[in-house]
Amino acid sequence: MIRAVYPGSFDPITNGHIYISERAAALFDELIVAVLVNPEKRSTFSEEERQIMAREALVHLPKVKYFNGLLVDFMRQQQSRIIIRGLRALSDFEYEFQLAQMNRQLAPEIETFFIVTDAKYSYLSSRAIKDAFQFGGAVRDMVPPGVYRRLRERIPPRNL
């Protein structure tokens, strides 16, 4: 059985993340969507909220977990040798390539697979969603319904 891990902060999960998750799930026997807990980064949503939103959005994919620390350590704990990363643009590749090279140095047995998103999601990021929403942008069709509801509860609109 080949188990892959799709890690990310998912703060919040977007339709682009769901697209990458579904593509990866079709390629491997099992996919774990791994929500990163990073104490250095100030998240809009808590680890628990991000995990709940991911589970709601990916109800058809049974494994959503959280982790902190090194990804390669989590990979070993999960007995996985495949990291999934989504690419939207060339700028993503440079950053992701550096991460893949670092992970390769730390754990040569682990491979990184890049999945290019659909063009309709090429502009989506969690940060862009939150920024657009805060300034009154229509993001309802860019995120799952549960995420949209939580955005409305969490982020007050700015009146300019």
Side-chain angles (χ1 to χ4, degrees):
M1 178 171 72
I2 300 175
R3 178 179 295 134
V5 173
Y6 178 30
S9 59
F10 305 110
D11 187 34
I13 194 166
T14 70
N15 291 344
H17 294 127
I18 294 167
Y19 177 82
I20 297 295
S21 299
E22 290 173 344
R23 295 261 317 271
L27 294 171
F28 298 97
D29 298 318
E30 183 177 71
L31 177 69
I32 298 170
V33 175
V35 178
L36 171 65
V37 178
N38 184 349
E40 301 296 315
K41 188 176 176 184
R42 188 168 167 260
S43 298
T44 301
F45 296 98
S46 72
E47 154 209 321
E48 183 178 334
E49 289 170 313
R50 290 182 286 138
Q51 200 173 6
I52 289 169
M53 288 186 285
R55 279 199 177 108
E56 288 173 357
L58 299 168
V59 70
H60 53 296
L61 302 177
K63 301 252 181 172
V64 175
K65 297 183 177 187
Y66 71 92
F67 76 100
N68 55 28
L70 287 176
L71 175 58
V72 294
D73 291 339
F74 179 76
M75 299 291 295
R76 289 176 177 138
Q77 291 168 3
Q78 300 304 310
Q79 299 177 333
S80 175
R81 295 182 41 223
I82 307 292
I83 298 170
I84 302 296
R85 299 301 293 165
L87 295 176
R88 295 169 296 186
L90 188 58
S91 57
D92 283 349
F93 179 76
E94 288 184 37
Y95 174 74
E96 294 296 344
F97 181 76
Q98 289 175 343
L99 286 180
Q101 293 294 84
M102 175 59 85
N103 287 330
R104 187 103 170 119
Q105 283 297 116
L106 296 171
E109 74 278 10
I110 295 175
E111 297 288 345
T112 300
F113 280 61
F114 297 109
I115 297 178
V116 177
T117 193
D118 190 285
K120 66 184 173 187
Y121 301 124
S122 63
Y123 62 91
L124 274 185
S125 71
S126 296
R127 176 83 262 150
I129 292 290
K130 292 183 287 191
D131 288 348
F133 180 82
Q134 188 173 29
F135 290 103
V139 301
R140 182 185 296 257
D141 294 335
M142 299 175 202
V143 294
V147 170
Y148 185 74
R149 185 183 77 251
R150 285 178 178 86
L151 284 168
R152 289 182 32 222
E153 294 168 359
R154 176 66 45 91
I155 300 176
R158 287 189 180 175
N159 296 325
L160 298 177

